[in-house]
Amino acid sequence: MQAQLEEQQLATTAFLATHVNENLEERLIALEKVAKRISYLTLENPAQIQEFLDKLIIINTYFNAGAFVTGLDGVAIASTPLSDNRIGVNYADRDSIGGVLKSGKPRIGKPVTGKVLGSPLITIAVPIRDAQSRLIGVLSGVIDLGKPSFLDKFTQSSYGKTGYFLLEDPKNKIIITATDKSRIMQAIKDPVADSLMYRHLHGYEGAGITTNPLGVEVLASARKIPIANWILIAALPTAEAFAPIRATVKKTAAWSFILILLTGCVIWWLLRYELSPMFATLKKLSTLSTSGALIEPLPIESDNEIGELIKGFNHLLETMAQQRSALEASEYRWKFAIEGSGDGIWDWNIKTGQVYFSKAWKEILGFSEHELANEIEEWQKRVHPDDKAHAIGLMQEHLDGKTPDYQSEYRLRCKDGSYKWIFDRGLVVNRSDDNKPLRVIGMFSDITARKRAEEKVLLLSAAIEQGPTSVAITNLKAEIEYVNEPFTKIAGYDVDDVLGKNPRVLQSGLTDKSVYAEMWGTLTKGQPWVGEFINKRKNGEIYYEQAYLSPVKDNNGVVTHYVAVKLDITDRKRLEEEIRQLAFHDALTKLPNRRLLVDHLNQAIVSSRRNGCFGALMFLDLDNFKPLNDLHGHAAGDLLLIEVANRLKHSVREMDTVARIGGDEFVVMLSQLVKDEAVSKLQAGKVAEKILASLSAPYLIKVTNEQSLEQTVEHHCSASIGVTLFIGNKVSEDELMRRADDAMYQAKEAGRNQFKFYTEG
């Protein structure tokens, strides 16, 4: 019974040691993959390394205290999380970083107290090499022993009532972690030479009885963790482990004493011919022992000393059955502790091909506890066809002794036909004398959610980096922490130009200040904001952006960052302006057309009513335009009209309006003259005279003759102008246009090249 307990404890220890070894190896491989990606960057640009680290979800998944990168001098140049303040600290004296810098090989360091965090840490360090395989730096992942980590899976597991686990570093004689957290980082006292504890520290992997440093006799077993040269020890006080056995021994001793007494009685009864019932009983016992059948209580055929002896033997059998039940319960508690993590357990008897699949194993795939055949083929036929060769190949390599353990990620078919991603690991726990595997124990975890999360992260990352929208993320101080590639292309800034800067570096000064006030007012309330900015690229070019800004909240609803998603709408704005120009401006002269003129006239009338000042409307018609068209064609006429438009704009104020309403007809509107009508009329007359003088000056027009040669011709042209004053809304816009038009015809009838004011009658 003691040997069975030792074997069970050793199997449990081996299984947990393999679990720790797998987790360390998984983290080491993850770091090496990250280091390989860092090698494509340059350590001369710490900001770029920092940005890369901040994006890696895998770091926070595997290392609860983050990670950092050092140069060849051992000084940290980038760290995640950034708040741990590792940057600038020299770690060359740590055996993990220093060891990698010396040997160029990955290293799992001894437990130490963190320089910055001040808590017990384990550091896993891997080299960073350039394209020529030269060592250029070190990437380190940090596990804080004071925080929850993968090591808690066994330290927090229940091992009986008083049992415990220890994870030790035998080389440095330090307790890494333990069921009792107060023992973390305690030094290991030198044990007595040749004791079981001494042999465990020097590499012995076995079980036995020893006395721990507290003076308690324990059943202890040890297993190595090869990747780190650590050792995992499981200990259970013998007072608990052998309590059922000792109880049995006591009962056996008592019954032995009774048997001695009975023997004396039997001898006495022999004299009275009472040996025949005993011989009959012995005959039945012999039959049971040779048949191999399950021992059941013997029948009591006589109510005498022989009968009492049989009763005692039956009681002994009952005690042994109870002990067997206790051992089975102990094995159940072991399985329950492992399955409590939610992982499925499997136990494969290679010789028979039978496999025990735990309840959790089946439930992960959607089966009940009593479904599925207990055969290795049941597992094999459920592995996804694309993953089967790889998964079975890894298993065979471990069975052949080529790998220290078996671990694989693959898809397994569920009861409903769907597939789940599984992380499977196992260990050969029993081999024959010729090293053939006899028994493999393992467990697997459902990692479907992790795989989907990774796919979503990759998809989101690709969408952000490859999409047309500009994305920027700032902290609460409005300092830029991340920008995507479209941001740099649109704004013209490199990533290094904007990291740590305020987004106001993009401001052009053309966006109204009220827009920024509204934006921050909305964001500080924890709400998203949508609007437009007029920004400036690095080269000074003005561009328009449509922006969606939103606060980013953590799981507790606290705002930690702001994200801005923006789209360059410069082309759209330019197109809108072109459409507006076509709708409200003359295509040839670029002057306002009739529609825009009417709009300006309405505004001028409203302004006149408010301030009491007069305005004037002038209607112009060119006097000598048609002969130029007839003689030199419409192209020459168009050039003349363009020149007329330019002379008109230079003859009035910027606040006044010059419009072309068709053919050679133009309108000039003077706004905000004075409140006195006579003075306003005088001012309008002076402007009309200025226009007549400007338009009557010679025009030099370039034309193409019949020989396709370009030549310049001189053309003289004048205008007839009709003028009418207005104030308030005494007359309508249409009436004002009619009056100005009538006055223009009066000017033409009076001999042209002059202006006339509108008079009624």
Side-chain angles (χ1 to χ4, degrees):
M1 292 171 70
Q2 178 178 329
Q4 290 179 357
L5 286 174
E6 290 178 354
E7 182 180 356
Q8 284 186 353
Q9 188 187 65
L10 193 60
T12 301
T13 308
F15 190 83
L16 293 175
T18 300
H19 174 72
V20 175
N21 194 79
E22 290 171 355
N23 275 272
L24 289 173
E25 186 174 13
E26 184 177 358
R27 283 156 175 77
L28 185 62
I29 291 172
L31 279 180
E32 288 177 335
K33 291 180 179 179
V34 174
K36 186 174 181 181
R37 293 177 63 185
I38 292 177
S39 67
Y40 295 121
L41 308 175
T42 170
L43 298 191
E44 301 300 325
N45 188 350
Q48 187 181 33
I49 303 298
Q50 183 64 47
E51 178 187 4
F52 175 77
L53 287 180
D54 289 341
K55 293 180 180 179
L56 290 176
I57 296 176
I58 193 173
I59 292 296
N60 295 327
T61 302
Y62 286 135
F63 300 96
N64 61 5
F68 61 94
V69 175
T70 71
L72 293 177
D73 57 357
V75 176
I77 62 173
S79 172
T80 180
L82 194 59
S83 59
D84 284 350
N85 300 320
R86 297 191 185 99
I87 296 177
V89 179
N90 193 320
Y91 293 92
D93 58 336
R94 291 293 166 89
D95 71 323
S96 53
I97 288 82
V100 175
L101 291 174
K102 290 179 182 178
S103 66
K105 297 179 179 179
R107 191 179 185 93
I108 299 177
K110 70 177 183 180
V112 295
T113 299
K115 290 186 176 183
V116 175
L117 300 178
S119 55
L121 308 173
I122 297 173
T123 303
I124 304 177
V126 298
I128 302 174
R129 300 183 182 276
D130 61 14
Q132 289 74 39
S133 297
R134 293 175 298 194
L135 183 66
I136 60 174
V138 178
L139 171 64
S140 302
V142 185
I143 301 170
D144 189 339
L145 297 174
K147 296 180 179 180
S149 67
F150 70 93
L151 294 173
D152 295 335
K153 278 227 172 181
F154 71 89
T155 59
Q156 294 180 0
S157 297
S158 173
Y159 184 26
K161 294 181 179 179
T162 58
Y164 58 89
F165 295 97
L166 293 172
L167 183 61
E168 300 179 345
D169 183 350
K171 179 180 178 182
N172 299 292
K173 295 184 178 180
I174 297 175
I175 295 176
I176 300 169
T177 187
T179 301
D180 182 2
K181 294 296 184 179
S182 65
R183 303 188 67 182
I184 294 176
M185 297 294 290
Q186 281 189 1
I188 302 173
K189 297 180 181 179
D190 290 329
V192 178
D194 293 328
S195 66
L196 183 61
M197 291 179 61
Y198 178 89
R199 293 164 63 198
H200 281 169
L201 288 175
H202 287 77
Y204 173 68
E205 294 181 286
I209 297 176
T210 185
T211 301
N212 67 15
L214 301 178
V216 178
E217 185 184 72
V218 296
L219 176 66
S221 60
R223 276 289 186 178
K224 290 181 180 178
I225 298 174
I227 193 171
N229 292 322
W230 296 344
I231 188 167
L232 177 64
I233 295 176
L236 183 66
T238 56
E240 178 180 348
F242 300 137
I245 299 176
R246 288 172 178 170
T248 301
V249 170
K250 289 181 181 179
K251 290 181 180 179
T252 303
W255 282 109
S256 296
F257 176 75
I258 295 173
L259 287 174
I260 292 173
L261 293 177
L262 289 175
T263 300
C265 295
V266 168
I267 294 173
W268 181 75
W269 276 104
L270 283 173
L271 299 174
R272 300 183 60 181
Y273 305 100
E274 288 292 333
L275 290 177
S276 56
M278 180 182 289
F279 286 129
T281 300
L282 291 175
K283 184 176 180 181
K284 291 182 179 180
L285 288 173
S286 177
T287 302
L288 289 173
S289 63
T290 56
S291 67
L294 182 65
I295 299 178
E296 297 179 354
L298 298 173
I300 301 174
E301 298 181 351
S302 59
D303 189 17
N304 52 25
E305 291 82 357
I306 299 298
E308 292 296 323
L309 177 63
I310 295 173
K311 286 181 181 179
F313 188 79
N314 287 344
H315 185 69
L316 179 61
L317 290 180
E318 182 181 352
T319 302
M320 293 180 65
Q322 291 175 353
Q323 177 62 28
R324 180 178 180 182
S325 176
L327 290 176
E328 291 175 349
S330 176
E331 182 176 359
Y332 170 78
R333 287 195 298 271
W334 168 72
K335 291 181 178 179
F336 180 79
I338 298 297
E339 291 203 45
S341 64
D343 294 337
I345 302 174
W346 51 270
D347 188 343
W348 178 21
N349 186 327
I350 299 177
K351 186 175 182 180
T352 64
Q354 295 294 301
V355 184
Y356 162 75
F357 297 117
S358 70
K359 179 181 178 181
W361 194 100
K362 296 178 180 179
E363 287 178 346
I364 290 174
L365 300 182
F367 291 95
S368 67
E369 185 176 4
H370 303 293
E371 292 182 291
L372 291 179
N374 293 323
E375 299 174 352
I376 190 63
E377 290 79 8
E378 185 66 44
W379 168 75
Q380 292 176 343
K381 73 181 183 181
R382 294 193 170 277
V383 180
H384 193 284
D386 295 341
D387 304 336
K388 181 174 292 186
H390 182 66
I392 294 178
L394 291 175
M395 174 65 80
Q396 190 60 50
E397 288 181 0
H398 178 55
L399 296 179
D400 295 341
K402 297 179 181 178
T403 56
D405 53 43
Y406 158 73
Q407 54 179 304
S408 177
E409 290 185 2
Y410 56 86
R411 288 162 290 181
L412 208 59
R413 180 163 48 84
C414 301
K415 183 177 181 179
D416 61 5
S418 63
Y419 283 89
K420 285 187 176 180
W421 274 100
I422 300 298
F423 175 51
D424 200 2
R425 56 268 199 210
L427 180 71
V428 174
V429 296
N430 193 12
R431 290 183 180 271
S432 63
D433 294 337
D434 56 355
N435 204 37
K436 290 184 179 180
L438 300 177
R439 183 183 180 193
V440 185
I441 297 178
M443 64 180 182
F444 76 15
S445 308
D446 181 359
I447 60 171
T448 305
R450 192 196 81 192
K451 285 287 187 179
R452 290 175 179 171
E454 290 175 355
E455 291 174 358
K456 289 181 179 178
V457 169
L458 291 174
L459 182 61
L460 178 60
S461 177
I464 291 175
E465 289 296 332
Q466 300 174 18
T469 54
S470 163
V471 178
I473 299 176
T474 71
N475 56 27
L476 296 181
K477 297 179 182 178
E479 297 169 337
I480 296 176
E481 294 186 354
Y482 167 81
V483 295
N484 66 347
E485 185 175 348
F487 178 97
T488 61
K489 289 182 178 180
I490 293 172
Y493 288 93
D494 293 334
V495 174
D496 295 337
D497 294 336
V498 295
L499 286 181
K501 303 290 182 61
N502 192 290
R504 68 170 60 96
V505 297
L506 303 177
Q507 292 182 8
S508 64
L510 300 177
T511 304
D512 194 287
K513 293 182 179 180
S514 63
V515 173
Y516 297 110
E518 178 192 352
M519 176 194 74
W520 283 114
T522 304
L523 291 178
T524 52
K525 292 178 182 177
Q527 299 173 354
W529 177 87
V530 179
E532 294 183 2
F533 296 120
I534 305 175
N535 286 336
K536 181 172 64 177
R537 307 187 205 275
K538 185 178 182 181
N539 62 7
E541 180 183 350
I542 300 298
Y543 68 103
Y544 294 80
E545 283 190 314
Q546 186 172 32
Y548 174 85
L549 281 71
S550 176
V552 180
K553 301 178 181 179
D554 61 16
N555 293 333
N556 298 320
V558 178
V559 176
T560 61
H561 291 79
Y562 296 110
V563 61
V565 180
K566 298 184 289 185
L567 185 65
D568 186 349
I569 59 172
T570 305
D571 291 338
R572 192 188 80 188
K573 285 291 186 179
R574 187 179 296 115
L575 181 59
E576 289 175 354
E577 178 60 24
E578 290 176 359
I579 293 173
R580 194 185 71 84
Q581 287 288 335
L582 291 174
F584 294 101
H585 290 78
D586 174 51
L588 176 64
T589 63
K590 309 305 179 187
L591 293 176
N593 59 15
R594 180 183 291 271
R595 180 184 298 177
L596 187 55
L597 170 64
V598 171
D599 181 65
H600 286 189
L601 182 56
N602 283 327
Q603 294 178 25
I605 291 173
V606 173
S607 177
S608 172
R609 183 171 63 250
R610 183 174 60 252
N611 57 35
C613 294
F614 280 89
L617 190 67
M618 300 182 182
F619 207 103
L620 292 81
D621 186 78
L622 300 182
D623 294 330
N624 192 27
F625 174 68
K626 190 172 184 301
L628 179 66
N629 265 348
D630 295 340
L631 184 60
H632 297 291
H634 289 285
D638 290 344
L639 293 175
L640 177 64
L641 293 173
I642 293 172
E643 179 60 22
V644 169
N646 291 332
R647 293 184 185 186
L648 286 174
K649 286 190 292 185
H650 286 89
S651 299
V652 297
R653 302 167 299 178
E654 288 188 6
M655 62 189 298
D656 299 325
T657 300
V658 178
R660 180 187 177 214
I661 60 175
D664 59 348
E665 294 179 335
F666 295 84
V667 173
V668 174
M669 185 190 71
L670 306 178
S671 59
Q672 297 185 19
L673 296 177
V674 295
K675 296 182 178 181
D676 186 272
E677 183 175 4
V679 176
S680 296
K681 187 174 182 179
L682 182 61
Q683 290 177 340
K686 288 182 178 180
V687 174
E689 290 175 351
K690 184 178 179 181
I691 292 174
L692 289 174
S694 175
L695 297 184
S696 62
Y699 295 86
L700 299 178
I701 308 296
K702 291 183 178 181
V703 299
T704 303
N705 60 22
E706 295 179 353
Q707 288 76 32
S708 299
L709 297 176
E710 189 178 82
Q711 64 182 29
T712 301
V713 298
E714 182 176 320
H715 182 73
H716 293 270
C717 184
S718 62
S720 298
I721 305 176
V723 186
T724 183
L725 295 179
F726 63 86
I727 186 169
N729 57 350
K730 293 182 178 180
V731 294
S732 65
E733 299 87 354
D734 292 339
E735 177 61 21
L736 287 176
M737 293 287 285
R738 185 192 65 77
R739 291 181 177 184
D741 188 45
D742 289 347
M744 181 271 295
Y745 279 108
Q746 292 174 15
K748 278 190 177 292
E749 292 174 356
R752 304 188 179 189
N753 193 23
Q754 56 183 292
F755 69 92
K756 292 288 185 180
F757 278 95
Y758 171 76
T759 57
E760 295 184 5

